[in-house]
Amino acid sequence: MKIHEYQAKELFRKYKIPVPEGGVAHSKDEAFEIAERLASLPLVVKAQIHAGGRGKGGGVKLARSLDEVKTIAHEIIGMNLVTHQTGPGGQKVKKVLVEQGLNIDKELYLSIVPDRETATIVIMASEAGGMDIEAVAEETPEKIIRVHVDPLAGIQPFHCRRTAFGLNLSSAVMKEFNKMVMGLYRFFVDYDCSLVEINPLVITKEETIIALDAKVNFDSNALFRHKDILAYRDLDEEDPLEVEASKFNLNYINMDGNVGNMVNGAGLAMATMDIIKQAGAEPANFLDVGGGANAEMVENGFRIILSDNKVKGILINIFGGILRCDILAQGVVQAAKKIGVTVPIVIRMEGTNVEEGRRILADSGLNLITAVDLKDAAEKVASIVN
Amino acid sequence: MSIFVDKNTRLLVQGITGNEGKFHTKQCIDYGTNVVAGVTPGKGGQTMDGVPVFNSVMDAVQQTRANCSMIFVPPPFAADAILEAIDAGIELIVAITEGIPVMDMMKVKNLLKNSNSRLIGPNCPGIISPGQAKIGIMPGNIHLPGGHVGVVSRSGTLTYEVVHQLTKKNLGQTTCIGIGGDPVNGTNFIDCLRAFEADPATKAIVMVGEIGGNSEEAAAAFIADHVSKPVVGFIAGLTAPPGRRMGHAGAIISGNSGTAQGKIAVMKEAGIHVCENLGELGEVCADNF
């Protein structure tokens, strides 16, 4: 789960990680009030959307007067911000963060991520702050410091020292930096984060350290023990169809093509999307209805797929196995009748009683096309939409 | 022959009294698996389909000599269940549970290093040695005993699809393992490849990967250096958009890493017969094995 920068900074404050003074505004007048309260210039106005690359897209601007804060906030709130992460459609900005400007001496990069291969927690840091870290990793990997922390033993002072020396920090800021890394690690572990990133982490001319930006993602599987984080969820930032699907516990991702598809199991769902493409069509979505798959899931699946008006045909691929195909087929027929499915449906299913299942589909009076195997299914649905 | 599980496997089921645990225990018994015990704290003394239920894994092991555990415990308590099995000295732990927090699994994985236990999963369909033992939720009837193909996969139903195609081509299996779709898991591709290479009955291997992480790349390097048997590979997720978690917690392309295209290129270079169209996997195996 993703949260906004201003929310991440709220959490940082709890862990005594220094962040600029500021506040979040939903209107130009609120922005002006915050600016008055901060009583320092210049100020920075930052669009609050989940996607990165806001600066380049025109969503982050410097204001040199209180009136300018108002003008900029007016421009940014309501704008459709397009960045490399939003896709061409962009994301509508609903709020801005108004913050004090800093006397920047140096910009660093600092993040904490889990490393899946070694099952350790990795502190990543670089003197190349403020830049796209993936580009740094690609072009100058030697500029990135990686310090692995054993999650059982937890962070030790030497981990912080190694990071600090690697960043060539002056002794004046090192102590403060080490304290901050300790706090950041504690935050990461306490909240089951999947990413904590500060880019840039700023050393000011006054030799203090401040997190100028803050990006935090959480492990969705751990949200059951972080009810406070659930309150940070912003549905405006998510695809409405995906939000709807999540209510039914369906794993749905909207794509650009016109072949809707419904599959049981994530791996098979990905492979089904791939084979649709290989047959010459484009998948409209990823939809995993779960390893089991029952009539209710299929019904909800239809509802979600058909809410996407790009869909010209649907491919259902269920590898039942233990699940009986006759029961599944009855479920598909019932759901299709109830929802009133208007586009052709190609069904491929495998499992016990598959012949009986195919007979039920054929006798249903609906536009249901059965396929003998996956390849056949993909070719049939591709020929329908093309 | 087979790897990790066979006729001598004495299975214990943690979470045996829940809906999933109950249903799949019955399926395993029907397949011929020797299910010797169940564990549900507070329900010790009961029986479930003739299987005695214990309050703790330690009790169950002492009284039944169980050497393998299958876990159906819900995510908030699953790490605890795995650690309990490790503590009781269970040799093979198969965690079916989906949705265990990454932080919990990182701790489990580090504790596993100093134990004699092997963990398969979590978030996996389990492991089956056809005709000998089924420890998991896969449909037993699609498997063909007496064959020579070992299957290892990060997925569930996709593995069934692959096995089904093998069986239709009359290519029987020695052991089929789902290592799970989570980012941190107990047993990886290399562990399984090493075991298949050492197993005299296994003459060929199918490896099914997907986007995310670099375990397929590591496996490819291992195959190039240490595996003499032919390997057919498949990677799901050619059309997956970057930055999106595709159902499995571990299936995500981060930046340029973890793409299907990247994995396929590395696997081909390592001499693996990569099948890019799932519909043709059975044929590719029949041609190469």
Side-chain angles (χ1 to χ4, degrees):
Chain A
M1 186 189 128
K2 293 178 179 176
I3 60 171
H4 288 292
E5 175 194 3
Y6 77 92
Q7 296 166 326
K9 284 177 172 171
E10 273 173 30
L11 292 166
F12 277 11
R13 283 195 186 96
K14 285 191 193 167
Y15 283 78
K16 301 202 162 43
I17 295 151
V19 294
E21 291 293 318
V24 68
H26 298 79
S27 68
K28 62 179 194 305
D29 293 329
E30 265 179 42
F32 186 79
E33 281 168 31
I34 293 163
E36 271 188 326
R37 176 168 63 76
L38 291 173
S40 80
L41 287 169
L43 290 161
V44 185
V45 182
K46 305 174 86 175
Q48 297 296 291
I49 60 168
H50 283 178
R54 292 169 299 168
K56 276 183 202 150
V60 179
K61 286 191 171 147
L62 191 71
R64 296 183 190 284
S65 71
L66 293 184
D67 284 334
E68 211 180 344
V69 169
K70 210 168 183 172
T71 322
I72 292 171
H74 183 66
E75 274 168 30
I76 294 181
I77 295 172
M79 83 183 278
N80 202 45
L81 186 52
V82 180
T83 81
H84 68 286
Q85 285 184 9
T86 58
Q91 176 68 39
K92 194 171 168 133
V93 182
K94 301 217 164 155
K95 46 198 169 245
V96 291
L97 178 61
V98 181
E99 276 187 347
Q100 61 174 163
L102 302 173
N103 268 327
I104 298 173
D105 182 46
K106 198 172 175 184
E107 294 190 347
L108 307 170
Y109 172 91
L110 180 69
S111 69
I112 304 183
V113 287
D115 181 48
R116 54 199 284 172
E117 315 299 340
T118 57
T120 57
I121 295 167
V122 186
I123 301 168
M124 279 174 62
S126 175
E127 286 187 83
M131 295 161 65
D132 177 7
I133 196 67
E134 273 169 13
V136 177
E138 192 131 304
E139 288 151 28
T140 48
E142 71 282 357
K143 284 191 181 162
I144 298 178
I145 305 148
R146 284 188 178 80
V147 178
H148 290 255
V149 181
D150 177 339
L152 292 174
I155 194 164
Q156 307 300 322
F158 80 87
H159 292 124
C160 304
R161 291 198 299 272
R162 261 180 60 195
T163 313
F165 284 117
L167 289 171
N168 294 310
L169 296 185
S170 71
S171 53
V173 293
M174 197 172 287
K175 201 174 158 191
E176 199 189 339
F177 175 83
N178 290 356
K179 215 171 89 192
M180 194 208 66
V181 174
M182 282 278 187
L184 203 63
Y185 180 91
R186 253 200 346 268
F187 166 65
F188 181 92
V189 173
D190 286 355
Y191 275 98
D192 282 281
C193 297
S194 53
L195 168 76
V196 173
E197 186 180 68
I198 305 175
N199 190 22
L201 174 69
V202 162
I203 300 177
T204 62
K205 296 213 164 95
E206 298 81 21
E207 295 200 302
T208 57
I209 286 198
I210 297 185
L212 187 60
D213 197 10
K215 186 173 172 187
V216 174
N217 296 348
F218 300 94
D219 176 3
S220 302
N221 284 344
L223 290 174
F224 66 85
R225 56 190 176 205
H226 304 292
K227 301 277 188 256
D228 53 335
I229 297 302
L230 285 174
Y232 280 141
R233 186 170 173 194
D234 184 351
L235 295 180
D236 289 342
E237 293 286 330
E238 298 177 35
D239 181 293
L241 276 179
E242 293 175 19
V243 173
E244 189 63 20
S246 70
K247 288 181 194 158
F248 301 116
N249 281 323
L250 295 173
N251 257 312
Y252 173 89
I253 293 173
N254 198 356
M255 311 261 300
D256 295 332
N258 57 8
V259 177
N261 57 95
M262 190 185 323
V263 186
N264 67 330
L268 191 58
M270 276 189 273
T272 303
M273 284 167 46
D274 296 350
I275 202 169
I276 289 169
K277 173 121 180 165
Q278 279 154 347
E282 291 288 336
N285 64 278
F286 165 90
L287 174 57
D288 166 17
V289 294
N294 55 37
E296 195 192 342
M297 284 252 182
V298 172
E299 189 184 315
N300 292 331
F302 273 135
R303 204 170 279 137
I304 300 295
I305 289 177
L306 291 169
S307 316
D308 176 358
N309 50 26
K310 298 190 302 292
V311 171
K312 299 282 177 282
I314 297 175
L315 170 57
I316 299 180
N317 181 22
I318 304 286
F319 202 107
I322 290 172
L323 199 74
R324 274 169 52 193
C325 284
D326 50 333
I327 292 177
L328 178 71
Q330 281 166 3
V332 170
V333 170
Q334 269 172 27
K337 282 184 176 161
K338 190 170 169 190
I339 305 280
V341 181
T342 47
V343 298
I345 304 169
V346 176
I347 302 176
R348 181 277 173 135
M349 55 187 188
E350 207 61 66
T352 322
N353 294 351
V354 66
E355 292 307 324
E356 174 67 8
R358 285 185 189 144
R359 195 190 55 74
I360 291 168
L361 297 176
D363 295 349
S364 69
L366 295 169
N367 193 0
L368 302 174
I369 301 143
T370 54
V372 290
D373 60 27
L374 191 47
K375 203 176 171 188
D376 183 39
E379 281 162 5
K380 279 180 173 155
V381 80
S383 73
I384 288 168
V385 299
N386 286 337
Chain B
M1 286 285 286
S2 56
I3 68 168
F4 303 149
V5 295
D6 56 27
K7 284 206 166 68
N8 300 317
T9 299
R10 298 173 62 80
L11 184 64
L12 168 160
V13 182
Q14 287 174 261
I16 193 169
T17 54
N19 282 339
E20 291 279 298
K22 196 172 163 181
F23 177 78
H24 287 291
T25 300
K26 180 82 169 47
Q27 296 279 329
C28 290
I29 293 171
D30 290 349
Y31 192 78
T33 309
N34 185 14
V35 182
V36 298
V39 170
T40 298
K43 296 200 174 168
Q46 302 182 3
T47 58
M48 178 67 74
D49 283 316
V51 178
V53 180
F54 298 87
N55 282 325
S56 73
V57 178
M58 193 66 93
D59 285 352
V61 169
Q62 278 166 358
Q63 297 191 41
T64 67
R65 291 180 295 113
N67 57 10
C68 176
S69 172
M70 170 165 73
I71 297 180
F72 286 100
V73 174
F77 320 107
D80 178 51
I82 298 170
L83 296 179
E84 186 182 359
I86 296 172
D87 181 68
I90 295 280
E91 291 160 36
L92 183 71
I93 303 162
V94 180
I96 309 296
T97 309
E98 175 173 7
I100 306 177
V102 171
M103 202 66 76
D104 292 4
M105 277 314 302
M106 289 204 290
K107 287 177 182 162
V108 166
K109 179 131 187 167
N110 282 284
L111 285 161
L112 267 174
K113 283 181 198 158
N114 298 319
S115 77
N116 297 317
S117 303
R118 165 178 299 289
L119 170 69
I120 294 177
N123 189 11
C124 78
I127 174 170
I128 180 169
S129 293
Q132 301 191 63
K134 164 176 130 81
I135 291 120
I137 59 174
M138 68 291 277
N141 62 335
I142 58 168
H143 297 80
L144 181 63
H148 303 290
V149 183
V151 178
V152 56
S153 166
R154 276 170 68 186
S155 182
T157 50
L158 175 56
T159 317
Y160 312 162
E161 170 73 40
V162 168
V163 169
H164 184 66
Q165 289 190 29
L166 289 172
T167 296
K168 279 203 295 192
K169 293 279 174 194
N170 209 29
L171 294 165
Q173 305 92 37
T174 49
T175 300
C176 306
I177 311 166
I179 58 173
D182 274 4
V184 179
N185 56 14
T187 293
N188 61 23
F189 279 122
I190 294 175
D191 300 323
C192 299
L193 292 165
R194 188 183 287 118
F196 279 134
E197 177 68 11
D199 175 37
T202 302
K203 309 277 187 226
I205 302 164
V206 180
M207 176 183 145
V208 182
E210 62 189 30
I211 55 161
N214 64 7
S215 61
E216 288 83 359
E217 288 86 337
F222 180 84
I223 288 167
D225 294 341
H226 303 287
V227 176
S228 62
K229 300 171 181 178
V231 181
V232 165
F234 176 80
I235 299 292
L238 277 165
T239 51
R244 301 303 306 268
R245 220 167 274 284
M246 305 300 282
H248 288 153
I252 181 164
I253 298 168
S254 318
N256 301 323
S257 88
T259 65
Q261 288 79 358
K263 288 175 190 292
I264 289 170
V266 174
M267 286 163 70
K268 280 184 176 164
E269 210 163 289
I272 298 169
H273 307 283
V274 180
C275 168
E276 292 188 36
N277 187 320
L278 182 61
E280 293 161 2
L281 196 110
E283 288 156 48
V284 173
C285 291
D287 292 346
N288 285 288
F289 296 164

